[in-house]
Every structure is written in C-alpha cells, then in structure tokens.
Amino acid sequence: MVGKKSGKALLREEGLERTDNNMEQTSWPVIQPINQKNYYVDFLKRDEQFLAVRTQLDETRNKMVKQAKDRDRALAQGRQVNEDGDVDMDEDEEEEEDELSAGNKTIVIHPGSQNLRIGLASDLLPKSVPMVIARKAQMSESEEDGGEPMPKRRKLDNGSIEPVPEKRFGDDFAAKFVGASNDLKVRMRMNKRKVLPQSRDMVTSYNRRATYDTINEHNDTLHIDWTDVSKQPDYVTGHAAMRISEQSKPRYKLKWPIQHGWINEKDYPSLRALYNDIALIIEDSVRTELKLDLRTRKDWQQYSCVIVIPDYYERTYVTSLLDLAIQDLGFSRVCFIQESLAASFGAGFTTCCIVDIGAQKTAVCCVEDGMVIDNSRINLKYGGQDVTDEFVKMIIYNHFPYADINLRRRYDFLLVEELKKKYSTISEADISVQLYDFHLRAPGQDTRKYTFKIYDEVALPTLALFRPEMFDHRGKLVGRRKLISRSYDLYDGKANDPTSAAQNEILRAIAPPEPIPEPFRPKMNGVNGLIKDEADSRRPSIARVQELENGTPTPSGASSPLRKSTPQPDGQMPRLNENGTPNPDDSMIRQPGDDTMMEIAEQPHPLQQQDPFYLERRDDILPIYPLAHAVTSSINHAARGSSSKTRDLYNSLLLIGGASKVAGFPAQLETTLQAILTETGYSREIVVGRPPREIDPEVCIWKGGAVFGRMSRTNDSWVTPFLYERLGERVLASKLMWAW
C-alpha cells in the first residue's frame, strides 16, 4: 500500500503549483463588463433636457433676475418695496402692466361650423362672424342642381314636383311628424294642458288663405344694405358674404371651411386651398371686427393667440391650426384649450358635465378639477342646423304662405334662422295656435310682409334632439377622408387620434356589422353546411373562446357589440331600455336550424380583438344618438362606478351652445334624464343649469378661452416660433395641458 502524498507533492506532480511572481500581465487598466441588470442612463429623462421645458425655465429665471434688478434699482433710488419684493410702480407703469395683464395683446379664436367667435382677451364679449367665404364661380349655390330648394322637394314619376305640401317630403317624414305631434299632445294632456282638437286644421286653413303686403323700400325702416361686388373682389368673408345677391355679376359661391365639426373636404380640391380660406376669414375678422390694422408680419408678432379646439379632436386639425397661426398669420405665440375646459373656466365650475349643442355638432364631456376626463368625451353630428331643416319642413307641411322658401338662398337662410330663434320654444305653456308675421327682404325686390299661423312646429324640431332619427342625416359623410387621412405613429403604426370609451360605446350601439376579413371568413355550402379550409385552423372555436374567457365577466346582451351593431331599417335608432342601453336585436334570437350562423355571429370580430377602439377608426359610421342617453353614457364612463362622483356630475349639468337657448330646454333635458334614471336612484340629483352671471351660452366657451389667455403668469402652454421651428408639432407633447 502506497503511502499518502502531501498537498505540495500533488501540486508539484500535477503541475498545479503557482510559479509566477504575482505581477500583472499588462499595465493597461482593466475595464469590468457592464452589469446589464443595473444598466441605467439619464439621457432625456429629466425635464431640463427637453428644449421646450428648458426654454420655459430660462424665461422664468430671466424674469426673476429682472425682478431682482428692479428691486435693487428701486432701493438704490430710495423707492419703497413691498413685503413680497415687488416694486411700487408709478401710475403710468401700473397702467401699462394692467394693460398687458388684461389681455389687450391676446386674440382668442373659437372656430365653429357656422360661426367664428373672435375677440381680444380683454373684451367683454366676442364678435360672432359667419365662418364662410364667397369666391367667384360660374353659378351660386342656389342655382346648382337646377336651383332645387333645400329641403329637397319630392319628385313624381313624371319628373314634376309634388304640389301637395303634405306629400312634398314623402310618407316617411309625414308619419314621423304626425307621430311626434301626437306624442306631444298626449304628454300635454297628462300635464293638464289644454289641447284644442282642431289646432292643425286652424293653422292650415289660415295659411292657405294668407297673402302678403308689399312695402316700398323708402317705407321700410329696416331695409338691408346688400354687398356691392361691382369692383369684383376675389373673395368676400363674414357678414358681407351672406349679403351678396344670388344674381350678382359676377356670381359668387359660398364655401364653409368647417362642417359638422370636421374639415370640409367635400367642397375643396386641395388642403392648401381649404386652410387658406380659414386664414383669410380669421385675418379679415381681425381687421374688420376687431378694428386692428395688422398689415405686416411685424404687426402680427405683437399679438398672442388662444385657439379653442374640440374635446374630441383630430391631431391633424390641431397641428394644421398651429402651423397656420405661426407660419401664415405670424402670431408671437400660440396656445390651445379644449372646449369643455374653456366652458368650465367661463362658467366658473370646477366639476361639471358640459352639454354643448352647436350648429352642426353636439359635444358632451365631463370636467373634474380643471381637467377633461378623456373617456367621457362624446361628439355627435347633429345640432341647430338640423333643427332648422326640420323646422322648415314642418312649416311647409302646414301650408306656409312663403312656400318657395329655399335654404340655399342666402336671404332665405337668414330669414329661417331669425324665425327659429324668435319663435322656438318647448315650454308647454307656450304651445298653442299663434299668429305671427315676418318681413321678406330680397335684393332687387320690394319688402313683403307675410302673416302666418303656427302650432307645434315651434317645439317639435327642438324635441327631435332627443329623437335624432327624425333628422335627415344624408350627405354628412360625403367627402370624408378625401384630403386628410388619419394620423398614425411612425414606429408602431397605431392611430394618434384620441379615443373615448363613451364614444366607442355609442359607436358599438349604432354601427352596422363589419364584414369578416377573407382569411377569417368560412365558406358556406348549402344552407347550414360549412366547408372547412386552411383559415379554420387559425380561427378559434366557441369552446376555445369560452376557455380563454374563463375568469372574466360574460358580456350581457346590452353590452355586447355584436348584439347592438345590427343595422336598423330606414336609419332608425336602436330601441333603448330604461337605463339607456339598447335592447338586444330580435334578429339575434336563436331559431331552429340557425346554430351554425349563431356560432359565426357570436365570435368576436378579429379586428376588435386586436384594437378595442377599431370602430372609431371606421369612417362609414356617423355618430347619431339621443341626447339624454349620450349624457348618461358620458357620466357613467367619467364616474367609473363611483356613486359620489356620479351624483356630483348629475348635480352640475351645464347646458351651453346656441341651439340650447330655446325656452324650456333645460327643464326638458332634466325631465328626460329623470325618466331614464328612475330605477338607478339618481333621478333626484339631476340639476341642469345655465352659465352664471348672465353669460350668453353661445359665448361661454370663448369667455373661458379669454380667461385662459389672461393667465400669463401661470400659463406654460405657449408655443413660440422659436420652438416650433426647431421641434415642429412635437412641441405640443410638452406644452398641452392634456396627454397628446
């Protein structure tokens, strides 16, 4: 047996003994590898590293340095300094400071579909200018399509026009009109209101016999001065454009750059021409309405600009307005504010639900502590213009004496707007047979005085806001996406436009089912037979879908997008439950022999699985929904199940917009909401109010923009030409008060 060897002997025999002198192999420093788990840099992770933020900090620092120098200079001159360190200025200096702080150098712009509100931030009220421009054309808008009046007349088979007013707009309109009138009578009787049985006969019999009286121009004290185009200007804007004769030489055609809250792509050949018209309307309004002589670019650089944009905006629209204000007009700085936030500023509300009924769009949005709740934004494409169209149809149906009224004619359009504003009401105490008169003033003609009787036509068009299926929505999507496509992210390809859960819910309720893409579409053989192909292997079965959805709440019939997205006949709205959610469509009820088709219909759409807001990317859906149900949907998504927040929002409903100024409208909205929320327990919390301090609901949004423009010391949203030149539209991500 061999004896045990020592450790040193083993190291020596095995060659493991260390023989070096413990010196480094090189004198170069050894760099240890980076630990990937703790790898960290602070590049572009601090606010000071962003140009927009760094510029703002530099301005604040320069302002503090200037105040310190002024304080030291005042102390050296023996002047008094306040406790806060401010220098007691002379009267002239204080007056100059007050002038700057009052907003005399800030122009507030609120562009709309029908009117432009514009004024200085120091003004008490803005100037309302029609958002229209007239340009030379072969014929005016009233002469196009054969000069056929709007609303359209019904044509018979032989090509002639229907002579009977009751049948002029078709049987569908007549049935809706008579049905809405009967519903109003029933409600008035329930409220103990007196309803005469022969009211409509009294109106029609008088209007058939009514004639007009002629008034000479020298006897008409309110005659209109029509616009003189003998010098043939290239364009005319605002009020002057609405006063151009249809028979002028040369002819002028009106163009409205903004329609239904969208850019009017239908009437323009190029995007440059469209934004050029917007710039011309704003520029002429500043010079004629605000009396500011701004001719050179240096003059425009003396003024700042606040632009009010919709809550549910499109990014392309905002960036285009920014480029227009800085590059084309030349303002020294520009900032943006959303309409609902501006309305809360103007009314002095911190938490409220804004219901804005404009000329061609209706917006509902909730505001909490000075911030817009994104998921509560709703944008509907109807408003006061639809009420005007319905009003004209109804008075013509009742043999209006001026039966040749044409909304395409400019003086007729102004006449109808005047009649609607003067006589519209939904107060049941004022709905009765009334005798009124109006004066028709047309260019080149003597003034005509008409007398007419009217009954429930003063209320039914406004009540149609709660039943929008009565409106005619044809043509509102014509030309959509003709010039402007959606904005998509360059890196991930996702859409940049904002989304809203409340808007998406409404679109699911009204959207027709989108056809299944070809890779996911099964081939049919016979009535109920299926031929499987290679796409079926990629399509999950019903059992697999149920397995994947285990642990998640099963959607009910009211919340299922497929059950709510069945097309309705004749453009009717889906039937609604008491809580405002659509009923499941009867066509989705399972029938014998329909098992295969039900399995196909019940499976989620492939595009919906990838993007829950894919319906908002579709341009074939026109958002039309009853007003009261839109309000409940907005508040439900804003409160997120919180009962206290829900009560606060229902208790502070703010009704604004020109179309909401009808007498009795707040009470009607409150009554309708109480009927919807009877079972929820919130019916007693509903309070619909107007803007306080006697602020006109039409200008409440502009007033809030003016307040925002005067916040010079706390407003960090200004975009200067310096920042826009270097960062472009990316500067909005750091300057806007909401997520861009």
Side-chain angles (χ1 to χ4, degrees), residues 524-537:
M524 303 300 298
N525 182 15
V527 180
N528 290 326
L530 285 175
I531 298 180
K532 291 187 176 182
D533 54 5
E534 63 277 3
D536 290 336
S537 61

Side-chain angles (χ1 to χ4, degrees), residues 262-428:
W262 288 327
I263 291 296
N264 185 10
E265 305 171 68
K266 177 181 66 174
D267 298 334
Y268 283 89
S270 65
L271 193 60
R272 187 64 235 175
L274 193 154
Y275 283 109
N276 184 43
D277 282 358
I278 295 178
L280 290 176
I281 294 173
I282 295 176
E283 187 175 354
D284 283 6
S285 300
V286 169
R287 293 173 178 172
T288 58
E289 300 294 334
L290 303 185
K291 308 301 182 182
L292 298 178
D293 189 14
L294 306 181
R295 298 183 180 181
T296 63
R297 193 172 184 86
K298 291 184 178 180
D299 298 334
W300 285 91
Q301 290 176 355
Q302 299 177 9
Y303 289 85
S304 305
C305 178
V306 178
I307 303 178
V308 184
I309 61 174
D311 309 310
Y312 197 71
Y313 58 87
E314 294 183 352
R315 292 187 60 160
T316 306
Y317 173 70
V318 178
T319 55
S320 300
L321 288 181
L322 177 62
D323 183 79
L324 183 147
I326 291 182
Q327 298 292 345
D328 297 346
L329 297 178
F331 285 107
S332 62
R333 53 181 185 172
V334 181
C335 70
F336 295 94
I337 184 173
Q338 293 172 297
E339 289 179 345
S340 294
L341 184 58
S344 66
F345 283 1
F349 287 14
T350 57
T351 300
C352 58
C353 178
I354 308 293
V355 182
D356 179 19
I357 307 176
Q360 297 181 8
K361 75 173 180 65
T362 297
V364 183
C365 182
C366 296
V367 178
E368 182 182 15
D369 296 334
M371 292 297 295
V372 172
I373 302 177
D374 294 341
N375 285 330
S376 68
R377 295 175 293 184
I378 292 178
N379 194 300
L380 306 175
K381 300 306 178 183
Y382 60 79
Q385 183 63 49
D386 298 275
V387 175
T388 303
D389 296 341
E390 201 72 11
F391 176 73
V392 172
K393 290 181 180 180
M394 290 183 180
I395 60 177
I396 292 178
Y397 185 92
N398 287 342
H399 296 262
F400 190 60
Y402 180 40
D404 196 29
I405 192 169
N406 184 356
L407 287 182
R408 286 188 175 181
R409 286 199 291 260
R410 295 148 198 172
Y411 58 87
D412 282 350
F413 175 79
L414 297 176
L415 171 65
V416 174
E417 287 288 329
E418 180 184 357
L419 294 178
K420 184 190 71 171
K421 293 179 180 179
K422 187 181 296 185
Y423 303 130
S424 292
T425 178
I426 56 177
S427 177
E428 296 179 359

